[in-house]
């Protein structure tokens, strides 16, 4: 049974405490925008907090945004003013100086964020600050990004995704980002940490600190996201494989489902 803090009672009908996605890359030809819009609408009704952990845009050339990409931004804007949902946007290396855009979509724009539900402290940050390759070789990174945009446009999506994965592995930055994030989480007294940036979704535990990377929404579906319920933090995939995720997650948390609560 998952331990829950005192504020988690049967009156809280939202099964998730927090949901986290990253590396959406709106504007990219390989962004899974249709699935993303579906997820955003679902998440707005299922969680108390939704965090977009960096790289919401592929770049700030908004002419590259399609109608589906704008639909995702409208979804974020539509839910940003709700009193029962907190939306937070963590700055990613592709987002640039996007403070103005954060005001347009109506979300908090932060460099990092600590989610605390009374049971765990989860540090959320994009992870590019630990990627010394892009810091040391900015010119090479810019050239590589330019070449990749051409590849995205003219070669099949599967090939474009393969090239992106190979480039990340060549830099060997998944482990570097992981280790840097874990060390930094320890200084912040956090027992959990999640990053994006590397596009490699995985989870592990190092010296008592749980690390989860939320992957990317530019890969072939299902697309990854991080879920938080009580003292549990884990990777999920969208679309959800189970037809009744609400009942199952409520059961994991030992909570009363909305239908059961209405009968009391």
């Amino acid at each position: 049974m998952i331990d829950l803090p005192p504020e988690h009672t049967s009156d809280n009908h939202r099964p998730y405490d927090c949901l986290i996605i990253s590396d959406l890359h709106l504007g990219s030809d390989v962004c899974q925008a249709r699935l993303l819009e579906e997820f955003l609408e679902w998440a707005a009704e299922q969680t108390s907090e939704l965090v977009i952990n960096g790289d919401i845009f592929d770049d700030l050339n908004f002419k590259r945004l399609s109608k589906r990409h704008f639909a995702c931004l409208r979804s974020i804007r539509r839910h940003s003013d709700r009193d029962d949902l907190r939306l937070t946007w963590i700055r990613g290396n592709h987002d640039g100086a996007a403070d103005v855009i954060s005001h347009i979509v109506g979300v908090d724009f932060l460099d990092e964020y600590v989610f605390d539900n009374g049971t765990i402290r989860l540090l959320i940050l994009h992870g590019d600050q630990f990627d010394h390759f892009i810091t040391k070789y900015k010119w090479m990174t810019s050239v590589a990004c330019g070449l990749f945009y051409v590849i995205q446009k003219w070669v099949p999506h599967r090939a474009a995704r393969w090239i992106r994965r190979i480039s990340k592995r060549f830099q060997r930055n998944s482990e570097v980002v992981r280790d840097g994030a874990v060390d930094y989480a320890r200084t912040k007294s956090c027992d959990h940490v999640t990053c994006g940036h590397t596009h490699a979704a995985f989870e592990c535990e190092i010296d008592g600190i749980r690390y989860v990377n939320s992957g990317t929404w530019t890969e072939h579906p299902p697309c990854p996201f991080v879920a938080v319920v009580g003292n549990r933090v884990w990777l999920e995939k969208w679309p959800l494989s189970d037809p009744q995720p609400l009942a199952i997650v409520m059961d994991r948390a030992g909570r009363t489902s909305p239908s059961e609560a209405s009968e009391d």
Side-chain angles (χ1 to χ4, degrees):
M1 181 67 68
I2 296 176
D3 298 327
L4 296 175
E7 62 268 25
H8 289 88
T9 68
S10 60
D11 292 331
N12 179 7
H13 299 330
R14 295 190 174 228
Y16 298 95
D17 296 334
C18 185
L19 296 174
I20 304 150
I21 55 176
S22 70
D23 297 87
L24 315 183
H25 290 276
L26 295 176
S28 165
D29 290 337
V30 291
C31 170
Q32 297 292 328
R34 181 184 62 80
L35 286 178
L36 176 60
E37 184 183 5
E38 292 175 1
F39 172 82
L40 291 170
E41 291 299 308
W42 171 83
E45 303 303 326
Q46 302 299 322
T47 187
S48 301
E49 295 198 30
L50 174 62
V51 180
I52 303 173
N53 192 11
D55 286 0
I56 188 172
F57 297 115
D58 202 46
D59 61 24
L60 295 185
N61 178 7
F62 299 126
K63 292 181 180 179
R64 300 178 64 216
L65 296 176
S66 69
K67 290 183 178 180
R68 286 226 179 252
H69 298 162
F70 278 114
C72 294
L73 292 177
R74 285 195 298 271
S75 177
I76 295 172
R77 169 74 267 187
R78 186 165 56 253
H79 297 295
S80 63
D81 292 330
R82 293 173 52 168
D83 294 331
D84 59 345
L85 174 67
R86 175 174 180 172
L87 269 163
T88 302
W89 177 4
I90 307 298
R91 184 194 303 271
N93 56 296
H94 281 257
D95 294 325
D99 304 67
V100 175
I101 305 301
S102 73
H103 291 300
I104 292 175
V105 297
V107 298
D108 294 329
F109 190 48
L110 307 172
D111 289 326
E112 62 184 56
Y113 173 55
V114 175
F115 172 79
D116 189 338
N117 63 3
T119 302
I120 63 164
R121 282 175 54 83
L122 170 63
L123 175 62
I124 306 171
L125 70 171
H126 187 60
D128 58 296
Q129 54 268 71
F130 308 115
D131 184 354
H132 306 301
F133 185 93
I134 64 172
T135 302
K136 187 175 182 179
Y137 302 105
K138 291 183 178 180
W139 67 270
M140 188 182 298
T141 302
S142 297
V143 170
C145 285
L147 289 174
F148 187 74
Y149 293 147
V150 174
I151 292 168
Q152 281 182 306
K153 186 173 183 179
W154 297 109
V155 306
H157 287 192
R158 182 177 299 176
R161 295 187 184 103
W162 179 81
I163 291 169
R164 185 186 286 274
R165 285 198 299 268
I166 290 298
S167 68
K168 293 292 184 180
R169 288 172 184 170
F170 175 76
Q171 297 168 23
R172 299 182 62 86
N173 64 354
S174 288
E175 293 83 2
V176 171
V177 169
R178 177 201 64 195
D179 294 344
V182 168
D183 289 343
Y184 184 55
R186 188 173 291 108
T187 70
K188 306 285 285 188
S189 300
C190 293
D191 45 11
H192 294 70
V193 58
T194 181
C195 294
H197 183 59
T198 67
H199 292 196
F202 72 98
E203 48 193 327
C204 64
E205 185 167 320
I206 301 177
D207 297 331
I209 295 180
R210 183 164 181 76
Y211 173 82
V212 185
N213 191 290
S214 49
T216 180
W217 284 64
T218 63
E219 300 287 347
H220 192 272
C223 299
F225 64 95
V226 177
V228 182
V229 177
N231 65 355
R232 188 178 178 198
V233 181
W234 76 100
L235 271 175
E236 280 280 11
K237 296 290 182 67
W238 184 267
L240 292 167
S241 59
D242 194 282
Q244 294 181 318
L246 177 63
I248 287 178
V249 174
M250 296 287 270
D251 180 65
R252 285 175 180 168
R255 300 180 184 173
T256 305
S257 70
S259 59
E260 293 171 336
S262 63
E263 295 173 358
D264 293 339

mmCIF file of all heavy atoms in Angstrom, residues 89-132:
data_model
loop_
_atom_site.group_PDB
_atom_site.id
_atom_site.type_symbol
_atom_site.label_atom_id
_atom_site.label_comp_id
_atom_site.label_asym_id
_atom_site.label_seq_id
_atom_site.Cartn_x
_atom_site.Cartn_y
_atom_site.Cartn_z
ATOM 1 N N TRP A 89 5.810 25.252 -16.031
ATOM 2 C CA TRP A 89 6.684 25.038 -17.187
ATOM 3 C C TRP A 89 8.118 25.258 -16.739
ATOM 4 O O TRP A 89 8.479 26.324 -16.262
ATOM 5 C CB TRP A 89 6.299 26.023 -18.287
ATOM 6 C CG TRP A 89 7.135 26.009 -19.525
ATOM 7 C CD1 TRP A 89 8.174 25.168 -19.839
ATOM 8 C CD2 TRP A 89 7.014 26.898 -20.636
ATOM 9 N NE1 TRP A 89 8.712 25.477 -21.056
ATOM 10 C CE2 TRP A 89 8.008 26.548 -21.573
ATOM 11 C CE3 TRP A 89 6.163 27.958 -20.927
ATOM 12 C CZ2 TRP A 89 8.180 27.218 -22.777
ATOM 13 C CZ3 TRP A 89 6.330 28.629 -22.128
ATOM 14 C CH2 TRP A 89 7.316 28.258 -23.039
ATOM 15 N N ILE A 90 8.948 24.222 -16.879
ATOM 16 C CA ILE A 90 10.369 24.309 -16.570
ATOM 17 C C ILE A 90 11.132 24.667 -17.846
ATOM 18 O O ILE A 90 10.890 24.081 -18.905
ATOM 19 C CB ILE A 90 10.896 22.978 -15.997
ATOM 20 C CG1 ILE A 90 10.041 22.522 -14.793
ATOM 21 C CG2 ILE A 90 12.363 23.105 -15.606
ATOM 22 C CD1 ILE A 90 10.047 23.469 -13.639
ATOM 23 N N ARG A 91 12.048 25.609 -17.731
ATOM 24 C CA ARG A 91 12.806 26.046 -18.905
ATOM 25 C C ARG A 91 13.696 24.910 -19.424
ATOM 26 O O ARG A 91 14.417 24.254 -18.668
ATOM 27 C CB ARG A 91 13.685 27.235 -18.536
ATOM 28 C CG ARG A 91 14.446 27.838 -19.724
ATOM 29 C CD ARG A 91 15.554 28.772 -19.250
ATOM 30 N NE ARG A 91 15.045 29.838 -18.417
ATOM 31 C CZ ARG A 91 14.607 31.015 -18.902
ATOM 32 N NH1 ARG A 91 14.625 31.229 -20.200
ATOM 33 N NH2 ARG A 91 14.172 31.951 -18.076
ATOM 34 N N GLY A 92 13.662 24.698 -20.741
ATOM 35 C CA GLY A 92 14.555 23.752 -21.403
ATOM 36 C C GLY A 92 15.521 24.472 -22.316
ATOM 37 O O GLY A 92 15.329 25.651 -22.631
ATOM 38 N N ASN A 93 16.542 23.785 -22.771
ATOM 39 C CA ASN A 93 17.556 24.446 -23.595
ATOM 40 C C ASN A 93 17.034 24.866 -24.962
ATOM 41 O O ASN A 93 17.568 25.769 -25.593
ATOM 42 C CB ASN A 93 18.782 23.543 -23.755
ATOM 43 C CG ASN A 93 18.455 22.184 -24.321
ATOM 44 O OD1 ASN A 93 17.741 21.407 -23.686
ATOM 45 N ND2 ASN A 93 18.965 21.875 -25.499
ATOM 46 N N HIS A 94 15.939 24.245 -25.441
ATOM 47 C CA HIS A 94 15.348 24.642 -26.714
ATOM 48 C C HIS A 94 14.342 25.778 -26.553
ATOM 49 O O HIS A 94 13.929 26.369 -27.551
ATOM 50 C CB HIS A 94 14.645 23.453 -27.381
ATOM 51 C CG HIS A 94 15.579 22.515 -28.080
ATOM 52 N ND1 HIS A 94 15.742 22.486 -29.450
ATOM 53 C CD2 HIS A 94 16.416 21.567 -27.586
ATOM 54 C CE1 HIS A 94 16.623 21.569 -29.777
ATOM 55 N NE2 HIS A 94 17.045 20.997 -28.662
ATOM 56 N N ASP A 95 13.931 26.061 -25.329
ATOM 57 C CA ASP A 95 12.887 27.059 -25.122
ATOM 58 C C ASP A 95 13.411 28.486 -25.232
ATOM 59 O O ASP A 95 12.662 29.408 -25.560
ATOM 60 C CB ASP A 95 12.234 26.866 -23.747
ATOM 61 C CG ASP A 95 11.481 25.556 -23.664
ATOM 62 O OD1 ASP A 95 10.905 25.149 -24.686
ATOM 63 O OD2 ASP A 95 11.480 24.931 -22.588
ATOM 64 N N GLY A 96 14.683 28.695 -24.919
ATOM 65 C CA GLY A 96 15.255 30.024 -25.000
ATOM 66 C C GLY A 96 14.606 30.976 -24.014
ATOM 67 O O GLY A 96 14.081 30.579 -22.974
ATOM 68 N N ALA A 97 14.640 32.251 -24.357
ATOM 69 C CA ALA A 97 14.033 33.280 -23.496
ATOM 70 C C ALA A 97 12.547 33.358 -23.802
ATOM 71 O O ALA A 97 12.069 34.275 -24.473
ATOM 72 C CB ALA A 97 14.712 34.624 -23.721
ATOM 73 N N ALA A 98 11.824 32.373 -23.301
ATOM 74 C CA ALA A 98 10.412 32.231 -23.662
ATOM 75 C C ALA A 98 9.484 32.779 -22.592
ATOM 76 O O ALA A 98 8.327 32.362 -22.490
ATOM 77 C CB ALA A 98 10.096 30.756 -23.926
ATOM 78 N N ASP A 99 9.953 33.740 -21.790
ATOM 79 C CA ASP A 99 9.132 34.280 -20.711
ATOM 80 C C ASP A 99 7.830 34.874 -21.234
ATOM 81 O O ASP A 99 6.772 34.741 -20.605
ATOM 82 C CB ASP A 99 9.917 35.349 -19.938
ATOM 83 C CG ASP A 99 11.236 34.825 -19.408
ATOM 84 O OD1 ASP A 99 12.093 34.522 -20.245
ATOM 85 O OD2 ASP A 99 11.394 34.731 -18.178
ATOM 86 N N VAL A 100 7.906 35.550 -22.375
ATOM 87 C CA VAL A 100 6.698 36.155 -22.945
ATOM 88 C C VAL A 100 5.673 35.090 -23.286
ATOM 89 O O VAL A 100 4.475 35.232 -23.027
ATOM 90 C CB VAL A 100 7.054 36.976 -24.204
ATOM 91 C CG1 VAL A 100 5.791 37.496 -24.877
ATOM 92 C CG2 VAL A 100 7.972 38.139 -23.840
ATOM 93 N N ILE A 101 6.153 33.978 -23.858
ATOM 94 C CA ILE A 101 5.245 32.893 -24.216
ATOM 95 C C ILE A 101 4.613 32.288 -22.973
ATOM 96 O O ILE A 101 3.441 31.910 -22.976
ATOM 97 C CB ILE A 101 5.980 31.809 -25.017
ATOM 98 C CG1 ILE A 101 6.650 32.435 -26.240
ATOM 99 C CG2 ILE A 101 5.032 30.710 -25.450
ATOM 100 C CD1 ILE A 101 5.701 33.138 -27.176
ATOM 101 N N SER A 102 5.370 32.213 -21.883
ATOM 102 C CA SER A 102 4.810 31.653 -20.658
ATOM 103 C C SER A 102 3.654 32.499 -20.162
ATOM 104 O O SER A 102 2.682 31.982 -19.608
ATOM 105 C CB SER A 102 5.885 31.534 -19.573
ATOM 106 O OG SER A 102 6.230 32.797 -19.034
ATOM 107 N N HIS A 103 3.724 33.811 -20.356
ATOM 108 C CA HIS A 103 2.609 34.676 -19.973
ATOM 109 C C HIS A 103 1.412 34.468 -20.901
ATOM 110 O O HIS A 103 0.264 34.522 -20.471
ATOM 111 C CB HIS A 103 3.042 36.137 -19.992
ATOM 112 C CG HIS A 103 4.022 36.481 -18.906
ATOM 113 N ND1 HIS A 103 3.730 36.333 -17.557
ATOM 114 C CD2 HIS A 103 5.287 36.961 -18.962
ATOM 115 C CE1 HIS A 103 4.777 36.713 -16.841
ATOM 116 N NE2 HIS A 103 5.734 37.086 -17.664
ATOM 117 N N ILE A 104 1.694 34.213 -22.166
ATOM 118 C CA ILE A 104 0.612 33.987 -23.123
ATOM 119 C C ILE A 104 -0.163 32.726 -22.778
ATOM 120 O O ILE A 104 -1.389 32.702 -22.803
ATOM 121 C CB ILE A 104 1.184 33.894 -24.556
ATOM 122 C CG1 ILE A 104 1.731 35.255 -24.988
ATOM 123 C CG2 ILE A 104 0.109 33.422 -25.538
ATOM 124 C CD1 ILE A 104 2.425 35.231 -26.329
ATOM 125 N N VAL A 105 0.556 31.657 -22.459
ATOM 126 C CA VAL A 105 -0.130 30.400 -22.126
ATOM 127 C C VAL A 105 -0.517 30.330 -20.654
ATOM 128 O O VAL A 105 -1.210 29.401 -20.236
ATOM 129 C CB VAL A 105 0.723 29.175 -22.515
ATOM 130 C CG1 VAL A 105 0.934 29.126 -24.010
ATOM 131 C CG2 VAL A 105 2.055 29.179 -21.795
ATOM 132 N N GLY A 106 -0.062 31.305 -19.855
ATOM 133 C CA GLY A 106 -0.561 31.441 -18.489
ATOM 134 C C GLY A 106 -0.021 30.449 -17.492
ATOM 135 O O GLY A 106 -0.751 30.031 -16.590
ATOM 136 N N VAL A 107 1.252 30.064 -17.606
ATOM 137 C CA VAL A 107 1.810 29.096 -16.662
ATOM 138 C C VAL A 107 3.025 29.689 -15.970
ATOM 139 O O VAL A 107 3.658 30.620 -16.478
ATOM 140 C CB VAL A 107 2.210 27.782 -17.376
ATOM 141 C CG1 VAL A 107 1.004 27.119 -18.002
ATOM 142 C CG2 VAL A 107 3.278 28.033 -18.431
ATOM 143 N N ASP A 108 3.360 29.134 -14.799
ATOM 144 C CA ASP A 108 4.591 29.508 -14.111
ATOM 145 C C ASP A 108 5.784 29.031 -14.938
ATOM 146 O O ASP A 108 5.798 27.909 -15.440
ATOM 147 C CB ASP A 108 4.651 28.873 -12.725
ATOM 148 C CG ASP A 108 3.578 29.414 -11.792
ATOM 149 O OD1 ASP A 108 3.208 30.589 -11.956
ATOM 150 O OD2 ASP A 108 3.117 28.662 -10.917
ATOM 151 N N PHE A 109 6.805 29.872 -15.063
ATOM 152 C CA PHE A 109 7.988 29.565 -15.865
ATOM 153 C C PHE A 109 9.197 29.571 -14.946
ATOM 154 O O PHE A 109 9.618 30.615 -14.447
ATOM 155 C CB PHE A 109 8.134 30.617 -16.973
ATOM 156 C CG PHE A 109 9.165 30.286 -18.012
ATOM 157 C CD1 PHE A 109 9.209 29.040 -18.606
ATOM 158 C CD2 PHE A 109 10.091 31.238 -18.410
ATOM 159 C CE1 PHE A 109 10.150 28.739 -19.576
ATOM 160 C CE2 PHE A 109 11.041 30.960 -19.374
ATOM 161 C CZ PHE A 109 11.074 29.707 -19.954
ATOM 162 N N LEU A 110 9.764 28.381 -14.666
ATOM 163 C CA LEU A 110 10.799 28.240 -13.656
ATOM 164 C C LEU A 110 12.017 27.513 -14.218
ATOM 165 O O LEU A 110 11.925 26.807 -15.219
ATOM 166 C CB LEU A 110 10.250 27.450 -12.455
ATOM 167 C CG LEU A 110 8.951 27.958 -11.818
ATOM 168 C CD1 LEU A 110 8.467 26.947 -10.788
ATOM 169 C CD2 LEU A 110 9.144 29.321 -11.195
ATOM 170 N N ASP A 111 13.142 27.677 -13.548
ATOM 171 C CA ASP A 111 14.344 26.921 -13.898
ATOM 172 C C ASP A 111 14.332 25.537 -13.266
ATOM 173 O O ASP A 111 14.899 24.587 -13.816
ATOM 174 C CB ASP A 111 15.597 27.672 -13.450
ATOM 175 C CG ASP A 111 15.852 28.921 -14.285
ATOM 176 O OD1 ASP A 111 15.550 28.885 -15.494
ATOM 177 O OD2 ASP A 111 16.335 29.922 -13.738
ATOM 178 N N GLU A 112 13.697 25.428 -12.109
ATOM 179 C CA GLU A 112 13.538 24.139 -11.434
ATOM 180 C C GLU A 112 12.387 24.252 -10.455
ATOM 181 O O GLU A 112 11.944 25.346 -10.116
ATOM 182 C CB GLU A 112 14.820 23.729 -10.711
ATOM 183 C CG GLU A 112 15.239 24.689 -9.612
ATOM 184 C CD GLU A 112 16.569 24.310 -8.990
ATOM 185 O OE1 GLU A 112 17.566 24.182 -9.733
ATOM 186 O OE2 GLU A 112 16.612 24.157 -7.759
ATOM 187 N N TYR A 113 11.903 23.111 -10.010
ATOM 188 C CA TYR A 113 10.739 23.112 -9.127
ATOM 189 C C TYR A 113 10.814 21.886 -8.224
ATOM 190 O O TYR A 113 11.155 20.786 -8.680
ATOM 191 C CB TYR A 113 9.461 23.079 -9.960
ATOM 192 C CG TYR A 113 8.178 22.903 -9.186
ATOM 193 C CD1 TYR A 113 7.826 23.768 -8.151
ATOM 194 C CD2 TYR A 113 7.298 21.863 -9.494
ATOM 195 C CE1 TYR A 113 6.641 23.611 -7.450
ATOM 196 C CE2 TYR A 113 6.107 21.695 -8.805
ATOM 197 C CZ TYR A 113 5.786 22.568 -7.777
ATOM 198 O OH TYR A 113 4.617 22.407 -7.079
ATOM 199 N N VAL A 114 10.506 22.077 -6.948
ATOM 200 C CA VAL A 114 10.440 20.961 -6.006
ATOM 201 C C VAL A 114 8.975 20.686 -5.697
ATOM 202 O O VAL A 114 8.280 21.535 -5.121
ATOM 203 C CB VAL A 114 11.215 21.246 -4.716
ATOM 204 C CG1 VAL A 114 11.005 20.105 -3.713
ATOM 205 C CG2 VAL A 114 12.704 21.423 -5.001
ATOM 206 N N PHE A 115 8.510 19.510 -6.101
ATOM 207 C CA PHE A 115 7.152 19.075 -5.776
ATOM 208 C C PHE A 115 7.197 18.333 -4.446
ATOM 209 O O PHE A 115 7.976 17.394 -4.276
ATOM 210 C CB PHE A 115 6.600 18.157 -6.866
ATOM 211 C CG PHE A 115 5.286 17.524 -6.498
ATOM 212 C CD1 PHE A 115 4.100 18.243 -6.609
ATOM 213 C CD2 PHE A 115 5.240 16.225 -6.011
ATOM 214 C CE1 PHE A 115 2.893 17.669 -6.244
ATOM 215 C CE2 PHE A 115 4.045 15.639 -5.653
ATOM 216 C CZ PHE A 115 2.866 16.363 -5.770
ATOM 217 N N ASP A 116 6.355 18.758 -3.517
ATOM 218 C CA ASP A 116 6.323 18.169 -2.173
ATOM 219 C C ASP A 116 4.871 17.900 -1.803
ATOM 220 O O ASP A 116 4.075 18.831 -1.656
ATOM 221 C CB ASP A 116 6.964 19.140 -1.169
ATOM 222 C CG ASP A 116 7.171 18.516 0.211
ATOM 223 O OD1 ASP A 116 6.478 17.533 0.530
ATOM 224 O OD2 ASP A 116 8.014 19.028 0.963
ATOM 225 N N ASN A 117 4.511 16.626 -1.704
ATOM 226 C CA ASN A 117 3.136 16.279 -1.329
ATOM 227 C C ASN A 117 3.029 15.846 0.136
ATOM 228 O O ASN A 117 2.030 15.272 0.554
ATOM 229 C CB ASN A 117 2.584 15.174 -2.240
ATOM 230 C CG ASN A 117 3.354 13.864 -2.122
ATOM 231 O OD1 ASN A 117 4.277 13.726 -1.316
ATOM 232 N ND2 ASN A 117 2.993 12.882 -2.940
ATOM 233 N N GLY A 118 4.080 16.122 0.904
ATOM 234 C CA GLY A 118 4.083 15.734 2.309
ATOM 235 C C GLY A 118 4.660 14.363 2.561
ATOM 236 O O GLY A 118 4.935 13.992 3.702
ATOM 237 N N THR A 119 4.858 13.603 1.490
ATOM 238 C CA THR A 119 5.423 12.251 1.601
ATOM 239 C C THR A 119 6.781 12.160 0.910
ATOM 240 O O THR A 119 7.701 11.516 1.413
ATOM 241 C CB THR A 119 4.462 11.218 0.983
ATOM 242 O OG1 THR A 119 3.206 11.292 1.651
ATOM 243 C CG2 THR A 119 5.018 9.810 1.104
ATOM 244 N N ILE A 120 6.902 12.789 -0.250
ATOM 245 C CA ILE A 120 8.170 12.816 -0.976
ATOM 246 C C ILE A 120 8.505 14.256 -1.369
ATOM 247 O O ILE A 120 7.627 15.122 -1.421
ATOM 248 C CB ILE A 120 8.134 11.953 -2.254
ATOM 249 C CG1 ILE A 120 7.094 12.525 -3.243
ATOM 250 C CG2 ILE A 120 7.880 10.503 -1.942
ATOM 251 C CD1 ILE A 120 7.250 11.996 -4.643
ATOM 252 N N ARG A 121 9.793 14.482 -1.640
ATOM 253 C CA ARG A 121 10.255 15.725 -2.251
ATOM 254 C C ARG A 121 10.868 15.358 -3.601
ATOM 255 O O ARG A 121 11.871 14.639 -3.655
ATOM 256 C CB ARG A 121 11.289 16.426 -1.360
ATOM 257 C CG ARG A 121 10.659 17.157 -0.183
ATOM 258 C CD ARG A 121 11.720 17.735 0.747
ATOM 259 N NE ARG A 121 12.682 18.581 0.063
ATOM 260 C CZ ARG A 121 12.479 19.879 -0.230
ATOM 261 N NH1 ARG A 121 11.321 20.462 0.099
ATOM 262 N NH2 ARG A 121 13.423 20.585 -0.837
ATOM 263 N N LEU A 122 10.225 15.824 -4.663
ATOM 264 C CA LEU A 122 10.632 15.479 -6.022
ATOM 265 C C LEU A 122 11.192 16.718 -6.708
ATOM 266 O O LEU A 122 10.467 17.696 -6.948
ATOM 267 C CB LEU A 122 9.433 14.938 -6.805
ATOM 268 C CG LEU A 122 9.618 14.752 -8.319
ATOM 269 C CD1 LEU A 122 10.697 13.711 -8.602
ATOM 270 C CD2 LEU A 122 8.298 14.359 -8.967
ATOM 271 N N LEU A 123 12.480 16.694 -7.018
ATOM 272 C CA LEU A 123 13.113 17.782 -7.752
ATOM 273 C C LEU A 123 12.852 17.588 -9.240
ATOM 274 O O LEU A 123 13.111 16.518 -9.786
ATOM 275 C CB LEU A 123 14.619 17.790 -7.480
ATOM 276 C CG LEU A 123 15.452 18.802 -8.272
ATOM 277 C CD1 LEU A 123 15.036 20.239 -7.946
ATOM 278 C CD2 LEU A 123 16.944 18.598 -8.004
ATOM 279 N N ILE A 124 12.342 18.639 -9.885
ATOM 280 C CA ILE A 124 12.018 18.588 -11.306
ATOM 281 C C ILE A 124 12.836 19.653 -12.025
ATOM 282 O O ILE A 124 12.719 20.845 -11.729
ATOM 283 C CB ILE A 124 10.510 18.837 -11.547
ATOM 284 C CG1 ILE A 124 9.657 17.872 -10.712
ATOM 285 C CG2 ILE A 124 10.178 18.695 -13.034
ATOM 286 C CD1 ILE A 124 8.179 18.193 -10.720
ATOM 287 N N LEU A 125 13.698 19.235 -12.938
ATOM 288 C CA LEU A 125 14.485 20.162 -13.737
ATOM 289 C C LEU A 125 14.818 19.496 -15.062
ATOM 290 O O LEU A 125 14.820 18.269 -15.171
ATOM 291 C CB LEU A 125 15.735 20.617 -13.006
ATOM 292 C CG LEU A 125 16.887 19.649 -12.753
ATOM 293 C CD1 LEU A 125 18.091 20.417 -12.206
ATOM 294 C CD2 LEU A 125 16.515 18.536 -11.777
ATOM 295 N N HIS A 126 15.088 20.317 -16.083
ATOM 296 C CA HIS A 126 15.206 19.749 -17.426
ATOM 297 C C HIS A 126 16.422 18.839 -17.559
ATOM 298 O O HIS A 126 16.340 17.777 -18.198
ATOM 299 C CB HIS A 126 15.275 20.875 -18.466
ATOM 300 C CG HIS A 126 15.232 20.379 -19.870
ATOM 301 N ND1 HIS A 126 14.168 19.641 -20.364
ATOM 302 C CD2 HIS A 126 16.120 20.488 -20.898
ATOM 303 C CE1 HIS A 126 14.401 19.325 -21.622
ATOM 304 N NE2 HIS A 126 15.585 19.828 -21.970
ATOM 305 N N GLY A 127 17.561 19.236 -16.996
ATOM 306 C CA GLY A 127 18.749 18.385 -17.024
ATOM 307 C C GLY A 127 19.840 18.867 -17.949
ATOM 308 O O GLY A 127 20.969 18.353 -17.902
ATOM 309 N N ASP A 128 19.568 19.870 -18.801
ATOM 310 C CA ASP A 128 20.597 20.335 -19.731
ATOM 311 C C ASP A 128 21.767 20.994 -19.010
ATOM 312 O O ASP A 128 22.868 21.058 -19.552
ATOM 313 C CB ASP A 128 19.988 21.318 -20.737
ATOM 314 C CG ASP A 128 19.350 22.516 -20.075
ATOM 315 O OD1 ASP A 128 18.368 22.348 -19.333
ATOM 316 O OD2 ASP A 128 19.832 23.640 -20.288
ATOM 317 N N GLN A 129 21.530 21.472 -17.778
ATOM 318 C CA GLN A 129 22.629 22.099 -17.029
ATOM 319 C C GLN A 129 23.729 21.108 -16.676
ATOM 320 O O GLN A 129 24.846 21.512 -16.358
ATOM 321 C CB GLN A 129 22.097 22.782 -15.762
ATOM 322 C CG GLN A 129 21.268 21.896 -14.856
ATOM 323 C CD GLN A 129 19.788 21.977 -15.172
ATOM 324 O OE1 GLN A 129 19.338 21.494 -16.196
ATOM 325 N NE2 GLN A 129 19.035 22.589 -14.285
ATOM 326 N N PHE A 130 23.430 19.816 -16.754
ATOM 327 C CA PHE A 130 24.441 18.799 -16.480
ATOM 328 C C PHE A 130 25.072 18.249 -17.759
ATOM 329 O O PHE A 130 25.972 17.411 -17.693
ATOM 330 C CB PHE A 130 23.825 17.649 -15.688
ATOM 331 C CG PHE A 130 23.080 18.094 -14.460
ATOM 332 C CD1 PHE A 130 21.696 17.906 -14.349
ATOM 333 C CD2 PHE A 130 23.737 18.727 -13.422
ATOM 334 C CE1 PHE A 130 21.010 18.327 -13.235
ATOM 335 C CE2 PHE A 130 23.061 19.155 -12.299
ATOM 336 C CZ PHE A 130 21.687 18.962 -12.196
ATOM 337 N N ASP A 131 24.576 18.699 -18.905
ATOM 338 C CA ASP A 131 25.068 18.230 -20.199
ATOM 339 C C ASP A 131 26.203 19.148 -20.635
ATOM 340 O O ASP A 131 25.996 20.181 -21.267
ATOM 341 C CB ASP A 131 23.930 18.249 -21.223
ATOM 342 C CG ASP A 131 24.342 17.679 -22.569
ATOM 343 O OD1 ASP A 131 25.547 17.378 -22.749
ATOM 344 O OD2 ASP A 131 23.466 17.532 -23.435
ATOM 345 N N HIS A 132 27.420 18.774 -20.313
ATOM 346 C CA HIS A 132 28.571 19.638 -20.563
ATOM 347 C C HIS A 132 28.925 19.719 -22.043
ATOM 348 O O HIS A 132 29.620 20.650 -22.472
ATOM 349 C CB HIS A 132 29.772 19.144 -19.758
ATOM 350 C CG HIS A 132 29.486 19.011 -18.291
ATOM 351 N ND1 HIS A 132 29.075 20.070 -17.523
ATOM 352 C CD2 HIS A 132 29.519 17.930 -17.453
ATOM 353 C CE1 HIS A 132 28.878 19.672 -16.274
ATOM 354 N NE2 HIS A 132 29.136 18.384 -16.214
#
